[in-house]
Amino acid sequence: MANTKRFSGILTPNITPVDARGNIDEDKLRGYVDWLIDHGVDGLYPNGSTGEFVRFTPEERRRIVTIVVDQTRGRIPVLAGAAEANANETIAACNAYGDMGVQAVAIVAPFYYRLGSEAVYQYFREIANAVRVDVTLYNIPLFASPIPVEVVVRLANDCPRVVGIKDSSGDVPNMMRMIAAIRPMRDDFTFLTGWDASLAVMLIAGADGGTNATSGVVPELTRALHRSVVAGQIEEAMRLQYQLIPIFDAMISLGEFPEGFRAGTRARGWDLGPGRMPISDDQREKIRAMQSHIDGLVAAVTPSLNQN
Amino acid sequence: MANTKRFSGILTPNITPVDARGNIDEDKLRGYVDWLIDHGVDGLYPNGSTGEFVRFTPEERRRIVTIVVDQTRGRIPVLAGAAEANANETIAACNAYGDMGVQAVAIVAPFYYRLGSEAVYQYFREIANAVRVDVTLYNIPLFASPIPVEVVVRLANDCPRVVGIKDSSGDVPNMMRMIAAIRPMRDDFTFLTGWDASLAVMLIAGADGGTNATSGVVPELTRALHRSVVAGQIEEAMRLQYQLIPIFDAMISLGEFPEGFRAGTRARGWDLGPGRMPISDDQREKIRAMQSHIDGLVAAVTPSLNQN
Amino acid sequence: MANTKRFSGILTPNITPVDARGNIDEDKLRGYVDWLIDHGVDGLYPNGSTGEFVRFTPEERRRIVTIVVDQTRGRIPVLAGAAEANANETIAACNAYGDMGVQAVAIVAPFYYRLGSEAVYQYFREIANAVRVDVTLYNIPLFASPIPVEVVVRLANDCPRVVGIKDSSGDVPNMMRMIAAIRPMRDDFTFLTGWDASLAVMLIAGADGGTNATSGVVPELTRALHRSVVAGQIEEAMRLQYQLIPIFDAMISLGEFPEGFRAGTRARGWDLGPGRMPISDDQREKIRAMQSHIDGLVAAVTPSLNQN
Amino acid sequence: MANTKRFSGILTPNITPVDARGNIDEDKLRGYVDWLIDHGVDGLYPNGSTGEFVRFTPEERRRIVTIVVDQTRGRIPVLAGAAEANANETIAACNAYGDMGVQAVAIVAPFYYRLGSEAVYQYFREIANAVRVDVTLYNIPLFASPIPVEVVVRLANDCPRVVGIKDSSGDVPNMMRMIAAIRPMRDDFTFLTGWDASLAVMLIAGADGGTNATSGVVPELTRALHRSVVAGQIEEAMRLQYQLIPIFDAMISLGEFPEGFRAGTRARGWDLGPGRMPISDDQREKIRAMQSHIDGLVAAVTPSLNQN
């Protein structure tokens, strides 16, 4: 049985709704949070990559977490992305979010520069030893300095405040290497996967849950998939994973990330605005042309799921 | 139920035994083939990457297949690596192996040059349309031109002689994409994984089997793992996969590939010689120093398995 | 003869001095600016990668430019790094810096996410069409989304405000492809290289100058190298480049970038503080152990140069 | 002044002419060798990447060298590509080519597997200590295991038979690092570049010459470029390099390498056949459609050069 302190299930790295002028759309954000909770997500993850955290200012990032925590009202846990320009700024954000009542923060490894493992370790240790909130490491080697398995193990061993890893590499064997090394000494340590295309096999391999962008579009499907694995219904979990992949593929390849996921939410009736990257008329037209394809993919999986 | 025409289970990409002067050691090869069959492997795969096919001459490669087929005497299927310098030479090797009685050949995509997908498609199609033996595609993007999912699908559609794919990328979602696209139209198409660290999840995701270097060292473990998945005992399969990973990691990281796997076979009593790449005294000493670690890892998993 | 509107020579991407608590050290920054100007650099480039721009807050970045512009007092041009969280924030920073009197701003392509070329084009066009200051593109594919040659050409063609490219890829043929395509239509367009190890050959190939971290350590050497190329003394330029490479190699490989360059400035008497990334005691000790090696490399080239 | 034992100038990695059935076209090969010598190339380099050495059998590779040596009749030096399946086979080929009278052999680092630097060192040392012909290392990290700078330096130091490096990485600083480390101790060591787009700057940086596929198409241009650098006419050399890049770009990007260079030779009246990789009708049509573009690029540079 899973340790009750661990995160479990599917946390949604929610898109940040913006209005026509590109400002945070608070009403939409509150409404979307309610919709996600109503559709069964197990947690929220504001200021993740899907939330375009790097494209918002430090003040905006705090406002996003404030709104999400306030609207959630403790119904489900909130894992707040807290990476800022440097360790000191990140520590301040962590503590601010902790004071707001988030269950934990998630901190991506330093990006832009590609740091070696010793520097990555040092960065997280400095933060973990200074904050008064639990910290989840966020490994996304495609975008940020990689957090090698041995660094995760060292941090789990050295820093009680480090309580989990969110891994978006999609590397199943690495997930298993981390679980094998850490779980015997830290029963409270959470393993989450951020790579939707591997969600089922990651859960089968021992991960506690996922922080998956698709859960912001088809939360019923990702929830059912997670519950199937928990219930030991592996064939059903794989059947749902086979449904999830084409939806994920269509959204991840549509325009620049996370434009495709914005198209996905439109298929559910949520127009969350245009995103923070300028896009050309051609690109906008191309996305519009693909909307009905996305609509169809989403519709194909949601009715049956809604009947459950 | 699996189509009976498909490969199923674990095929061993066998190391090529050499004597002190670096020549093929026929006696060792025959003995090792018998040992593998006695220990339950489901097939043999001479002239794979583990067999160092590129370090042997065309004549030697044919002799290796001749010996393996002869010694196997039909007890288990043989999948023979048949890549040669160009399409014509490869076609000749394919037909020679077909005449010897192999069940199929495996052909790696062109290497050295990195070809685009159209050229890769064209290469395989030319071969598949000319040979009188079944062909398995071999995708190993780390070493050779990648065979993208859509090329595999096109070849499965266009070429009846293409009967399977051996994928060593370890990419579970890509395996699922191929299965989703091909299985509905080709029930006879075999999906094999060559990445041992992902073996269990690949099988759970729908692959028919694996061609795994570790099966040349701990065939009982890889067999038990495969049988567990087939029997729906997923927890047991994952438990065995958790045992397999450290063994695989130790062997894959020891010296240059496949030196670590030669050390692995020594742990089972098979000294298959020094390999075809010159190694320094330092490297030799380092491998020797790790032998007892490898021995221990292998011993830890084999006794219990032997009791099954 | 070079268009007089173009940047020319060596601009220093200056390290940002910090005090023991990690705050911007204004006195050191002012003193270091004077020292650089006294030692012959042709321009200053605050908020570059060497200046660790991503590790400072938006407010700090503005303060850095304010100080540098104020201290420079028009003696040499200032090219201010102006990348912020998104296009709107970047536009605001550009205009603020323009109002301060910088000659131009430099804007790195979006980082964290890896954008495709169309999005990169769109991002720069949106900014360039909105600002009232000249813009230099900053291509550093190791850290940020690449700006392909064709995007640079399109922007040079479409946006009068885009007046140059700073390329840190070190790719000489790509520099020549850009020069060949753009110079005929835009005589005012500046080509700068940011890869010190290729400085001489980039200048010989037609670049106007460089923004080189080594110029913050051995400004006499980079200046002499540039002047040699301008004077057609190619053998001398290459002799100086052969001196520059080992200095660059020693600094670029010491600790995490730009720690080695901080060690370099210490060799010139400037202790600019510890940088903004936490480093371990081991790393600190290792850097200290290398200091005399750096000192020696720097001393070997500066006396003779000082005599010129 | 260059050591007279060194290679100097431009050696052509010649395309291997084949007839309609794909067999070596001896008459064409002899004619093309004469044409290259008549047009001023400084050496020939059969069995290089441009010659598609991996797509020919061991017997064919020997026949290619036999023909080229015989036809050259000592007019210019021959550098024969000698890489075979393993060290022993390579040693045998080296000695065979040495007996034929080649000036040296060129050996690419092991490919398919990506070897570490110690194994690469060991491989070359074993060969160099066994052969009776001079050996040039061939570094092409895009296709084969990289030969790091320090390995080249160690081999230059340890193995008198290793007399040069052909580097196709295009990395100018690495070329300078090798020259700086090796030339003081080995005045007989030749540095050649295989990356045509960097030819002029490599020569300016100190390389002795190049083995450039474009020299098989526009030998007058590459010769003039080399002679300009030797004469200290750097502006002229760069002017020619600016002419060379678009020709190189057009040929390198046309179909799969080296199809574009075959199109280039057709622009000079040499139809050297279809290459050894099967290509589709679409690809063939696309290449045909680009022929006049290639013709135009080549014609634009050759008349003026012929007048020199």
Side-chain angles (χ1 to χ4, degrees), chain A residues 104-124:
Chain A
V105 295
I107 305 175
V108 71
F111 48 91
Y112 189 69
Y113 309 102
R114 286 258 141 177
L115 301 183
S117 21
E118 185 57 30
V120 168
Y121 168 79
Q122 206 61 33
Y123 172 79
F124 280 117

Side-chain angles (χ1 to χ4, degrees), chain D residues 135-207:
Chain D
V135 170
T136 302
L137 312 172
Y138 177 13
N139 184 39
I140 185 163
L142 204 63
F143 294 159
S145 303
I147 317 178
V149 170
E150 62 270 21
V151 167
V152 179
V153 175
R154 280 176 70 196
L155 289 166
N157 196 56
D158 299 349
C159 306
R161 274 295 188 197
V162 174
V163 300
I165 170 103
K166 179 212 165 167
D167 185 278
S168 291
S169 71
D171 188 324
V172 181
N174 267 0
M175 180 64 84
M176 295 176 70
R177 289 177 187 114
M178 291 191 290
I179 292 174
I182 296 172
R183 196 151 275 173
M185 64 174 174
R186 288 285 303 270
D187 188 42
D188 64 321
F189 203 89
T190 300
F191 298 90
L192 300 170
T193 175
W195 192 242
D196 309 43
S198 303
L199 176 56
V201 291
M202 285 286 191
L203 296 172
I204 292 166

Side-chain angles (χ1 to χ4, degrees), chain C residues 252-275:
Chain C
I252 200 86
S253 64
L254 184 56
E256 295 292 340
F257 180 83
E259 282 307 312
F261 291 89
R262 289 181 177 269
T265 60
R266 284 196 292 276
R268 299 307 296 268
W270 284 102
D271 185 342
L272 303 179

Side-chain angles (χ1 to χ4, degrees), chain B residues 112-113, chain D residues 12-16 24 29 44-66 68 78-84 93 97 100 102 105-108 138 166:
Chain B
Y112 188 70
Y113 308 101
Chain D
T12 301
N14 61 280
I15 286 173
T16 309
I24 297 168
L29 179 51
L44 289 171
Y45 176 22
N47 288 338
S49 297
T50 315
E52 295 179 271
F53 72 100
V54 295
R55 294 174 182 154
F56 288 83
T57 64
E59 295 70 32
E60 287 177 318
R61 283 192 284 267
R62 293 198 187 199
R63 191 162 158 241
I64 290 164
V65 179
T66 304
V68 169
V78 174
L79 173 66
E84 295 292 338
Y97 299 159
M100 291 177 197
V102 302
V105 295
I107 305 175
V108 71
Y138 177 13
K166 179 212 165 167

Side-chain angles (χ1 to χ4, degrees), chain C residues 195-211:
Chain C
W195 193 243
D196 309 43
S198 303
L199 177 55
V201 289
M202 284 286 192
L203 296 172
I204 291 166
D208 297 285
T211 62

Side-chain angles (χ1 to χ4, degrees), chain A residues 126-137:
Chain A
E126 171 141 336
I127 293 168
N129 288 348
V131 295
R132 21 173 228 276
V133 64
D134 286 343
V135 170
T136 302
L137 312 173

Side-chain angles (χ1 to χ4, degrees), chain D residues 221-282:
Chain D
L221 179 53
T222 50
R223 177 187 175 91
L225 193 162
H226 173 259
R227 299 305 189 264
S228 296
V229 175
V230 170
Q233 296 163 347
I234 304 303
E235 277 191 41
E236 174 65 4
M238 293 311 302
R239 191 184 68 79
L240 297 171
Q241 182 70 49
Y242 271 100
Q243 291 188 335
L244 187 59
I245 286 179
I247 298 174
F248 174 72
D249 288 352
M251 292 193 292
I252 199 86
S253 63
L254 184 56
E256 296 291 341
F257 180 82
E259 281 308 313
F261 291 88
R262 288 181 177 268
T265 60
R266 283 195 292 274
R268 299 306 298 267
W270 285 102
D271 186 343
L272 302 179
R276 272 277 169 112
M277 264 302 293
I279 59 174
S280 69
D281 293 346
D282 275 8

